Amino acid sequence: MEQALTGGASPASGVRMLPTYVGSTPHGNEQGNFVVLELGASGASLRVLWVTLTGIKGQRVEPKSQEFVIPQEVVLGTGQQLFDFAARCLSEFLDAHSVGSQGLQLGFNFSFPCHQTSLDRSTLISWTKGFRCSGVEGQDVVQLLREAIQRQGGYSIEVVAVVNDTVGTMMGCEPAVGPCEIGLVVDTGTNACYMEEARHVAVLDEDRGRTCISIEWGSFNDDRALGPVLTTFDHALDHASLNPGAQRFEKMIGGLYLGELVRLVLVHLAQNRVLFGGYTSPALLSQGSILLEHVTEMEDPSSGVARVHAILQDLGLSPETSDAELVQRVCAAVCSRAAQLCAAALVAILSHLQHSREQQTLQVAVATGGRVLERHPRFQSILQETVTLLASECDVSFVPSVDGGGRGVAMVTAVAARLAYHRRLLEKTLAPFRLSCEQLAAVRTQMRDAMAKGLRGEPSSLRMLPTYIRATPDGSERGDFLALDLGGTNFRVLLVRVTEGGVQIINQIYSIPESVAQGSGQKLFDHIVDCIVDFQEKQGLRGQSLPLGFTFSFPCKQLGLDQGILLNWTKGFNASGCEGQDVVYLLREAIRRKQAMELNVVAIVNDTVGTMMSCGYEDPRCEMGLIVGTGTNACYMEELRNVAGVPGDSGHMCINMEWGAFGDDGSLGMLSTCFDEMVDQASINPGKQRFEKMISGMYLGEIVRHILLHLTSLGVLFRGQQTQRLQTRDIFKTKFLSEIESDSLALRQVRAILEDLGLSLTSDDALIVLEVCQAVSRRAAQLCGAGVAAVVEKIRENRGLEELTVSVGVDGTLYKVHPHFASLVAATVRELAPRCVVTFLQSEDGSGKGAALVTAVACRLARV
Ligand code: G6P
Ligand code: BGC
Ligand code: BGC
């Protein structure tokens, strides 16, 4: 068991320890009407049940049920025959019981070893118990049943769960004390399941809670353990069976085999003249002529002897009384061994639970089911006595299942139905975030239109601002420069030394308190100058007049390299008295107020431009700058002839697109979701920066938070419990998306992040939160990719090239930190601009270096 749980199982040991995706014992509040289809629990028969769960503890409605015998040619036929037979029986039952034909939810009780990957997806490993339908092993049996129901027609039945009979038995029992945590079935076959600590199940990435494991102990065949107990009769039976070498443990316990074992022993004794005077009848010699029922009847303490005679006579024998007694003893021996072996296996579970729960005295209830346990006169008692013998310190109560697990299957189906319903609600909620290639291509085309309009100076949500940067650095720049970098997560002051050998940077990060970012402009620029002066003092630069480049990451209409009119604040900044002003003038005014006269502001650049220049210094093919951080934006080298309002029609001009505002004219309305509307309405600039609010770090966490609140209100998440914390604005940081989506982070860490937010959650909740994060970040990356595709296609067409090779300088925390963002952007660009070979260069030194390089170019040009 432990080997198989840790995934280190050697096939030799045989037990499979299969996860069933049943994560909890019944809550008792499951309710609804369910169809249950049972296949394989009790031999070549199939049972259909109609189970009503009241959701009220102890209030039970007797299930309606009907049994159908499966013809042998079907049991040994094709899988399609078997599942069509099942679908016909279903219809027959539903016709007979008029329970409606629409929206029926079915739980499939399929009692064979299966690899389950969810409550409604299960692949058959191998047939047991005399079944051998072709074309089913290795297949998803739920899919096979769905197809058969489809072929049958007449009823809309949704198969929402597949359950092993042991699980149904465990889930269906209602012991006086505490839930049953072990399910034991001894019918034609035998098996058990139990509630294991999820952290012990290697295949389940879980660290909390319990999960139900189907042991499939029927295939236990560890030679060291079984070798000594296997008899020649067991080997003979196995040899003649449909699956020699398989299910060796089951073949010593299961009802399908007990009769045959007895027969083989009787034949042996007869052939050795111990029984029936050495006479063997053809019937006695024919395989399968003694059934479980016969053995059970022959062992019946009251009518056993009479039955022995009757049964042996039916087999063409004329038993003496002594023969009858001996036959009873053979039955007793075979069945006692079966019960004792079953008990030994059960004790293995008990000691494992004792050990894993560190409990000296384990108290546990075992739900039992199956005709051997229900009908054999002594099996149950021998089982219990042996368990008490082998596990005296355990307090084990046995709870016979009342309806063969039908209710239990219905309970699992109820849970699965709830999860399936939640899944549909989740899909419905996330569907608007799943953008098709057509939708992304439409965004690319719309952005192209808006670019063209903006360049022509016509009304457009893309302002396409000329930056007066005509060239990227040519490497001849030299000197020391001060640079400021305002507008990202951090405000930095940098000293940039540009030499033959390259660029050295010393920088210091300063904070911009929200009160300053949203206070007066004068306070903001005074604060900036204070930081510069502090930096100069620390770097021993006071009194030195170094040219200064100012990365100002907000939309500015530049009138020159050192003149930029702030059009509007973004990203949570809102300092008064700045919009419409030349921010270089505002800085110079602050410098004057602070008498820091040696500061010489030479250039103001946008962070996209600084990033392009910084990367262009290493790679001259870098002609686009992209920021995906707190905000998002892009710039690129446009043909001057295409830039209205700037004289000249040869050469290039770097254009700051300010694409964060793309869609502010409503052109992105078709993509905007109610969650985007909520984030926009709650922002300090509603209606503005709509593209940015779907993409950048300042907003993704908020979009996710609103979706989580919505899903909680639908009961899909956190059992519908809204928590105060989650209703707190900005409490779900965008960095959580990067953490939660990181491949190396197991679900348990996802849980840790969310528990820090005061959320108590299940593993299903953690999975759903992960999916929400993935949907939101994927859309952001794809929209960003559609924007980049529009720009590189523009550059390619500008130059009339069949194919364009270009590099894009990128910066921004979201792009750099998120585990999948960059690759999703690149994949979208490949899809939407297949004739452009685009290399994304992550800027190492930020755009401060770029600002210094722009200043260096300006100084070089000023010297000629
Ligand atoms: C870098 C650049 C800044 C830019 C920022 C954007 O730090 O140097 O100029 O504004 O990236 O990213 P962020 O995630 O900080 O907003
Ligand atoms: C199957 C199990 C089942 C058991 C009892 C075995 O043959 O492999 O899945 O639980 O029979 O029906
Ligand atoms: C600003 C841009 C800036 C971008 C990235 C946006 O909010 O409007 O100017 O480039 O954020 O920082």
Side-chain angles (χ1 to χ4, degrees):
M1 286 171 66
E2 272 132 31
Q3 258 190 345
L5 276 178
T6 53
S10 60
S13 71
V15 293
R16 300 181 190 277
M17 307 303 280
L18 303 168
T20 67
Y21 291 81
V22 169
S24 65
T25 45
H27 300 148
N29 58 12
E30 292 82 2
Q31 57 182 316
N33 295 310
F34 300 96
V35 184
V36 171
L37 172 67
E38 272 182 11
L39 179 58
S42 40
S45 73
L46 180 153
R47 197 161 67 124
V48 183
L49 300 95
W50 176 255
V51 181
T52 300
L53 301 177
T54 59
I56 303 155
K57 226 171 179 38
Q59 205 184 57
R60 288 169 51 78
V61 176
E62 199 49 41
K64 302 185 182 108
S65 74
Q66 188 173 348
E67 188 138 354
F68 301 84
V69 175
I70 309 172
Q72 203 53 15
E73 67 274 17
V74 173
V75 171
L76 302 174
T78 66
Q80 179 153 341
Q81 281 173 313
L82 176 68
F83 284 93
D84 284 347
F85 177 81
R88 276 198 305 281
C89 298
L90 259 179
S91 298
E92 204 180 305
F93 174 88
L94 296 169
D95 294 347
H97 290 82
S98 55
V99 292
S101 64
Q102 297 308 311
L104 299 169
Q105 294 182 311
L106 183 143
F108 186 18
N109 182 345
F110 186 71
S111 312
F112 298 93
C114 289
H115 276 311
Q116 208 153 344
T117 48
S118 71
L119 269 172
D120 67 344
R121 189 186 291 272
S122 196
T123 303
L124 174 64
I125 298 170
S126 60
W127 285 115
T128 63
K129 298 175 287 190
F131 279 75
R132 201 174 57 184
C133 305
S134 57
V136 182
E137 288 176 346
Q139 301 298 315
D140 174 7
V141 292
V142 174
Q143 196 47 36
L144 293 175
L145 180 60
R146 284 177 177 148
E147 287 158 8
I149 290 170
Q150 195 83 23
R151 286 192 294 272
Q152 179 68 24
Y155 288 93
S156 95
I157 302 171
E158 189 197 357
V159 182
V160 289
V162 57
V163 185
N164 183 266
D165 56 349
T166 55
V167 180
T169 300
M170 181 188 77
M171 293 290 279
C173 85
E174 279 185 350
V177 287
C180 286
E181 293 195 280
I182 297 178
L184 167 63
V185 166
V186 186
D187 196 297
T188 47
T190 182
N191 184 20
C193 70
Y194 73 102
M195 294 306 288
E196 172 64 80
E197 307 302 322
R199 68 178 178 278
H200 294 158
V201 186
V203 288
L204 296 179
D205 169 14
E206 255 313 321
D207 75 330
R208 199 101 20 98
R210 291 187 175 145
T211 187
C212 179
I213 295 292
S214 165
I215 298 176
E216 285 296 340
W217 66 17
S219 52
F220 176 60
N221 67 354
D222 179 320
D223 287 344
R224 281 162 304 127
L226 287 190
V229 294
L230 282 167
T231 66
T232 54
F233 307 108
D234 296 307
H235 292 304
L237 179 149
D238 175 57
H239 193 65
S241 72
L242 272 179
N243 53 353
Q247 299 297 102
R248 296 308 305 269
F249 191 62
E250 175 164 87
K251 287 169 181 166
M252 292 195 276
I253 300 173
L256 186 63
Y257 307 102
L258 296 180
E260 184 59 7
L261 279 171
V262 168
R263 184 187 71 81
L264 289 167
V265 176
L266 298 186
V267 168
H268 172 79
L269 294 172
Q271 287 167 344
N272 290 282
R273 307 191 63 72
V274 178
L275 263 179
F276 318 128
Y279 171 71
T280 53
S281 67
L284 181 65
L285 293 173
S286 54
Q287 184 183 18
S289 57
I290 297 182
L291 302 173
L292 170 66
E293 293 69 32
H294 296 141
V295 175
T296 304
E297 290 160 15
M298 291 197 280
E299 277 214 63
D300 186 285
S302 51
S303 60
V305 175
R307 288 299 302 145
V308 169
H309 283 279
I311 290 166
L312 293 176
Q313 276 147 15
D314 289 349
L315 291 170
L317 300 160
S318 336
E320 305 293 332
T321 307
S322 60
D323 290 333
E325 282 160 13
L326 192 49
V327 168
Q328 276 196 315
R329 282 177 53 203
V330 170
C331 291
V334 168
C335 294
S336 307
R337 181 189 73 163
Q340 289 163 342
L341 286 171
C342 187
L346 189 56
V347 169
I349 302 176
L350 298 175
S351 67
H352 171 74
L353 287 177
Q354 255 184 310
H355 176 69
S356 67
R357 296 180 189 180
E358 292 134 14
Q359 287 175 358
Q360 197 38 44
T361 52
L362 181 76
Q363 186 187 28
V364 69
V366 179
T368 59
R371 288 167 304 161
V372 175
L373 277 162
E374 286 151 13
R375 300 187 191 160
H376 190 279
R378 296 176 313 113
F379 193 99
Q380 179 90 29
S381 54
I382 297 170
L383 172 76
Q384 287 182 244
E385 285 152 20
T386 312
V387 168
T388 313
L389 203 63
L390 297 175
S392 51
E393 70 294 351
C394 291
D395 167 6
V396 183
S397 53
F398 289 85
V399 185
S401 151
V402 279
D403 64 356
R407 251 175 70 74
V409 174
M411 288 206 171
V412 175
T413 310
V415 174
R418 189 179 62 223
L419 289 176
Y421 171 62
H422 286 174
R423 161 107 345 242
R424 283 195 293 278
L425 287 175
L426 179 66
E427 281 313 318
K428 190 158 163 279
T429 303
L430 295 183
F433 287 87
R434 307 205 195 284
L435 302 181
S436 65
C437 199
E438 293 66 37
Q439 286 176 302
L440 290 167
V443 170
R444 177 203 58 202
T445 308
Q446 274 177 289
M447 185 168 279
R448 284 295 303 274
D449 297 349
M451 288 170 73
K453 286 198 187 102
L455 286 171
R456 291 196 297 268
E458 294 164 17
S460 164
S461 62
L462 289 180
R463 298 195 187 91
M464 306 302 282
L465 303 163
T467 66
Y468 292 84
I469 303 286
R470 307 284 306 270
T472 49
D474 64 4
S476 66
E477 297 73 21
R478 297 282 180 277
D480 289 0
F481 304 91
L482 277 178
L484 306 178
D485 188 349
L486 177 73
T489 313
N490 306 307
F491 168 52
R492 277 185 292 198
V493 180
L494 307 88
L495 169 63
V496 181
R497 175 158 296 150
V498 186
T499 64
E500 180 124 13
V503 177
Q504 286 89 44
I505 295 176
I506 299 167
N507 75 75
Q508 173 139 5
I509 290 177
Y510 293 87
S511 72
I512 305 279
E514 192 169 274
S515 58
V516 173
Q518 297 188 0
S520 74
Q522 181 159 327
K523 266 231 190 66
L524 170 63
F525 283 93
D526 286 352
H527 176 74
I528 289 171
V529 174
D530 290 344
C531 298
I532 302 170
V533 171
D534 173 76
F535 178 78
Q536 285 180 306
E537 265 147 16
K538 284 199 176 102
Q539 302 302 326
L541 298 169
R542 285 311 307 269
Q544 278 192 49
S545 171
L546 294 179
L548 184 146
F550 186 8
T551 300
F552 183 75
S553 312
F554 301 94
C556 285
K557 179 172 179 44
Q558 289 210 235
L559 307 174
L561 202 52
D562 65 347
Q563 216 181 346
I565 309 300
L566 173 61
L567 297 171
N568 59 274
W569 285 116
T570 64
K571 293 176 289 187
F573 274 70
N574 199 16
S576 59
C578 301
E579 291 180 341
Q581 302 298 314
D582 171 8
V583 285
V584 174
Y585 171 77
L586 295 177
L587 179 58
R588 287 183 176 141
E589 278 301 289
I591 290 168
R592 190 182 49 71
R593 280 193 299 276
K594 299 281 178 178
Q595 271 113 25
M597 300 322 292
E598 69 276 27
L599 294 178
N600 166 22
V601 185
V602 169
I604 178 168
V605 296
N606 184 263
D607 53 354
T608 55
V609 179
T611 299
M612 182 187 77
M613 296 297 270
S614 169
C615 296
Y617 193 72
E618 320 296 336
D619 173 352
R621 283 178 308 189
C622 181
E623 297 195 77
M624 180 176 179
L626 170 67
I627 296 285
V628 190
T630 316
T632 183
N633 186 16
C635 73
Y636 72 102
M637 297 306 284
E638 177 55 79
E639 309 299 320
L640 193 55
R641 68 173 180 277
N642 296 336
V643 184
V646 177
D649 53 14
S650 66
H652 301 93
M653 166 79 64
C654 177
I655 296 295
N656 168 10
M657 298 176 66
E658 284 300 332
W659 80 5
F662 178 51
D664 286 10
D665 56 0
S667 55
L668 281 179
M670 77 291 187
L671 294 183
S672 182
T673 68
C674 58
F675 308 107
D676 296 307
E677 297 307 324
M678 290 175 197
V679 169
D680 178 53
Q681 285 313 312
S683 71
I684 62 170
N685 56 351
K688 294 268 184 302
Q689 302 294 103
R690 296 311 303 268
F691 194 57
E692 178 164 87
K693 285 171 182 164
M694 288 185 180
I695 293 177
S696 76
M698 185 159 189
Y699 306 101
L700 295 190
E702 272 298 277
I703 296 173
V704 168
R705 185 177 70 85
H706 282 292
I707 297 173
L708 299 184
L709 287 172
H710 172 69
L711 292 171
T712 308
S713 68
L714 295 175
V716 172
L717 266 179
F718 316 130
R719 295 175 196 273
Q721 307 301 315
Q722 292 284 15
T723 63
Q724 193 46 46
R725 296 285 303 281
L726 199 56
Q727 305 193 20
T728 315
R729 200 172 148 187
D730 290 333
I731 190 110
F732 197 98
K733 303 284 178 235
T734 296
K735 73 180 170 76
F736 292 162
L737 277 82
S738 300
E739 291 164 8
I740 286 170
E741 291 181 61
S742 98
D743 302 341
S744 62
L745 209 62
L747 269 185
R748 68 198 72 184
Q749 275 98 351
V750 174
R751 190 203 314 277
I753 290 170
L754 298 167
E755 274 157 5
D756 283 354
L757 287 179
L759 298 166
S760 70
L761 66 164
T762 65
S763 56
D764 293 321
D765 287 335
L767 268 174
I768 290 173
V769 171
L770 172 61
E771 268 192 70
V772 170
C773 293
Q774 287 168 336
V776 170
S777 64
R778 182 180 182 79
R779 179 189 70 163
Q782 290 178 316
L783 286 172
C784 184
V788 173
V791 175
V792 293
E793 271 292 288
K794 174 84 167 68
I795 296 174
R796 183 183 66 77
E797 286 173 23
N798 277 353
R799 300 178 190 168
L801 298 171
E802 264 313 299
E803 191 175 274
L804 172 77
T805 299
V806 67
S807 301
V808 178
V810 192
D811 209 333
T813 317
L814 178 59
Y815 184 94
K816 283 183 164 177
V817 174
H818 189 282
H820 308 298
F821 201 96
S823 57
L824 283 167
V825 170
T828 308
V829 172
R830 278 195 299 277
E831 183 101 30
L832 297 179
R835 298 161 68 179
C836 299
V837 178
V838 181
T839 307
F840 291 89
L841 306 169
Q842 287 209 11
S843 159
E844 296 318 324
D845 314 304
S847 58
K849 170 183 163 186
L853 289 167
V854 168
T855 308
V857 172
C859 295
R860 173 168 56 76
L861 293 178
R863 274 197 296 276
V864 290

